[in-house]
Amino acid sequence: MSSPKGEVEIIEQYCKGCNICVAFCPTNVLEMDLFVVKAAKPEACIACMQCELRCPDFAIKVHKKEA
Amino acid sequence: MAYDYDSSIRPGKLPHIWCPGCGHGIVMKGLIRAMDTCELDRKNTAIVSGIGCASRLPGYLDACTLHTAHGRAAAFATGVKMAKPEMDVIVCGGDGDGTAIGGNHFIHACRRNINMTYVLMNNFIYGMTGGQFSPCTPTGDKASTTPYGNPDPIFDISKLAIGAGASFVARTTAFHATQIDKLIAEGIKHKGMAVIEILDDCPTTYGRRNKFRSVVEMMERLKDMAVPVAAAAKLPAEKLEGKILTGILHQEDKPEYTAQYAEVIKKAQGA
Ligand SMILES: Cc1ncc(C[n+]2csc(CCOP(=O)(O)OP(=O)(O)O)c2C)c(N)n1
Ligand code: SF4
Ligand code: SF4
Ligand code: SF4
Ligand SMILES: [Mg+2]
């Protein structure tokens, strides 16, 4: 398995559990865990930034890794 | 790198007050990126709003911000721009604030073509006060004040702005996150009144009453509704039913109000 292209950081105290990031992640990295999102499959992140762009709550950051 | 939003936000202001999944937060991120793209000096940028959930936006931003009276954002913003034409002026607000109580101020700011950027978050409802219908609540939809379905036709905000004289009018949705900052940035660069209408979601007072089972369903709907103007030109009319056009809908060069007014001052001073 190739290494992930991005590292997902979740700011738990800001997350309101809206599920937007979970629904639109193309590689199913994210999962809802008692109304707070978690990176369940961090190794699958392709650093597409969809989650960070759409999170209304500034609760998710993706740090792109150097190739 | 993750995007640096923090530098644009007043310290200690997050988390914000908006409900889970409210699109106003997505718009706020887009506005921050647009201000960064245009390299706006926050000390020289006035961000003005009226009242409503959408109108809370400027309070989070580290810039010169002004939270005014319901519907009066365009009037206060006009005052700021006339007194300090060198400032970049941005208005943020909702469909209720901008097209119901503030409809008159909105159309006259468009008519004057004053150089400002108006980011109008259209979530089809008065969110803050519990979901009364606005001039943008779709016909047939439910609001707290239209329990049998709304009999009114809507204002098409973008068409209203074009008709009233705004020289830049664009539209997108809260789903189309990257388009939000691109269009706002184009609006900021444009010399004249720029209106960017952003179709938005209010899961709490609009979504629940109108059978959306989740925020994600509301996002999917915004995604499906949007057709870029260029693509729409090639589609037959029946394919465009129930759709809304997105992108830059109108742009023209025409006299800008503060410049016109500077001429008046010159004449009055006998120059
Ligand atoms: C003069 C006056 N009338 C009515 C109100 C009550 N009021 C507050 S916000 C609001 C509607 C806001 O709707 P909108 O601008 O669409 O913003 P949203 O909350 O949907 O983001 C109303 C009617 C008020 N604050 N002041
Ligand atoms: S950056 Fe893309 S792939 Fe990675 S978690 Fe976010 S949405 Fe999923
Ligand atoms: S989009 Fe943001 S607030 Fe919503 S679940 Fe994901 S991290 Fe949480
Ligand atoms: S009531 Fe609606 S508009 Fe207001 S914060 Fe909640 S979701 Fe957003
Ligand atoms: Mg509204």
Side-chain angles (χ1 to χ4, degrees):
Chain A
M1 167 116 215
S2 66
S3 62
K5 297 212 163 50
E7 191 185 316
V8 182
E9 178 194 354
I10 290 149
I11 299 110
E12 291 192 5
Q13 66 272 30
Y14 291 172
C15 174
K16 294 178 186 159
C18 71
N19 218 45
I20 290 176
C21 59
V22 178
F24 295 108
C25 170
T27 53
N28 301 317
V29 170
L30 306 164
E31 236 175 51
M32 199 51 66
D33 183 19
L34 283 173
F35 306 105
V36 175
V37 83
K38 70 165 188 212
K41 281 201 290 163
E43 68 283 358
C45 178
I46 55 169
C48 67
M49 312 309 275
Q50 299 287 317
C51 56
E52 185 186 291
L53 272 167
R54 290 210 185 84
C55 170
D57 284 278
F58 301 82
I60 189 161
K61 292 183 183 179
V62 179
H63 305 281
K64 276 190 187 167
K65 291 191 178 168
E66 300 299 322
Chain B
M1 269 304 283
Y3 197 89
D4 173 22
Y5 294 103
D6 295 338
S7 312
S8 295
I9 297 174
R10 289 198 172 118
K13 281 284 185 179
L14 293 180
H16 56 58
I17 49 131
W18 294 314
C19 305
C22 174
H24 296 343
I26 303 176
V27 177
M28 178 164 138
K29 286 174 129 169
L31 174 60
I32 291 172
R33 294 193 302 274
M35 291 195 294
D36 289 346
T37 305
C38 297
E39 298 179 352
L40 293 194
D41 171 6
R42 308 303 205 258
K43 290 194 173 68
N44 195 46
T45 305
I47 312 176
V48 185
S49 69
I51 301 290
C53 297
S55 299
R56 296 293 291 261
L57 196 158
Y60 296 106
L61 298 176
D62 202 0
C64 307
T65 64
L66 198 57
H67 191 194
T68 73
H70 194 25
R72 272 59 187 165
F76 280 88
T78 299
V80 172
K81 188 71 188 174
M82 293 306 289
K84 292 190 172 288
E86 70 284 2
M87 282 192 100
D88 285 294
V89 177
I90 297 169
V91 180
C92 294
D95 48 318
D97 190 72
T99 68
I101 190 168
N104 239 328
H105 292 297
F106 178 70
I107 56 174
H108 291 290
C110 293
R111 175 176 61 85
R112 282 173 162 161
N113 193 38
I114 186 162
N115 190 10
M116 58 171 81
T117 307
Y118 198 127
V119 179
L120 204 152
M121 288 158 259
N122 176 8
N123 59 8
F124 321 118
I125 203 84
Y126 289 0
M128 177 167 269
T129 43
Q132 296 81 3
F133 74 110
S134 87
C136 302
T137 304
T139 311
D141 279 7
K142 292 206 168 119
S144 68
T145 42
T146 58
Y148 302 102
N150 178 24
D152 290 16
I154 58 155
F155 264 151
D156 177 323
I157 296 176
S158 292
K159 278 190 186 160
L160 178 68
I162 296 168
S167 54
F168 179 98
V169 178
R171 180 161 54 197
T172 186
T173 84
F175 175 81
H176 299 85
T178 54
Q179 206 179 25
I180 298 175
D181 59 90
K182 290 203 179 81
L183 294 176
I184 298 176
E186 289 298 320
I188 291 171
K189 288 181 211 151
H190 178 81
K191 291 275 169 290
M193 177 75 175
V195 176
I196 296 95
E197 180 192 19
I198 298 166
L199 301 188
D200 205 344
D201 66 298
C202 170
T204 305
T205 78
Y206 175 79
R208 282 206 288 227
R209 273 194 191 88
N210 290 288
K211 300 203 172 79
F212 287 97
R213 281 167 303 181
S214 66
V215 170
V216 172
E217 250 184 40
M218 297 189 84
M219 284 286 147
E220 296 278 7
R221 167 108 174 92
L222 292 174
K223 178 181 166 193
D224 294 343
M225 275 169 98
V227 182
V229 261
K234 293 181 205 127
L235 288 173
E238 66 267 20
K239 288 252 190 238
L240 293 173
E241 229 165 273
K243 304 281 183 192
I244 53 112
L245 302 189
T246 56
I248 298 175
L249 306 179
H250 177 75
Q251 186 163 22
E252 66 180 311
D253 262 336
K254 69 179 192 187
E256 188 277 323
Y257 192 66
T258 55
Q260 296 298 103
Y261 205 84
E263 293 301 317
V264 174
I265 293 172
K266 259 196 223 160
K267 274 189 201 154
Q269 292 177 344

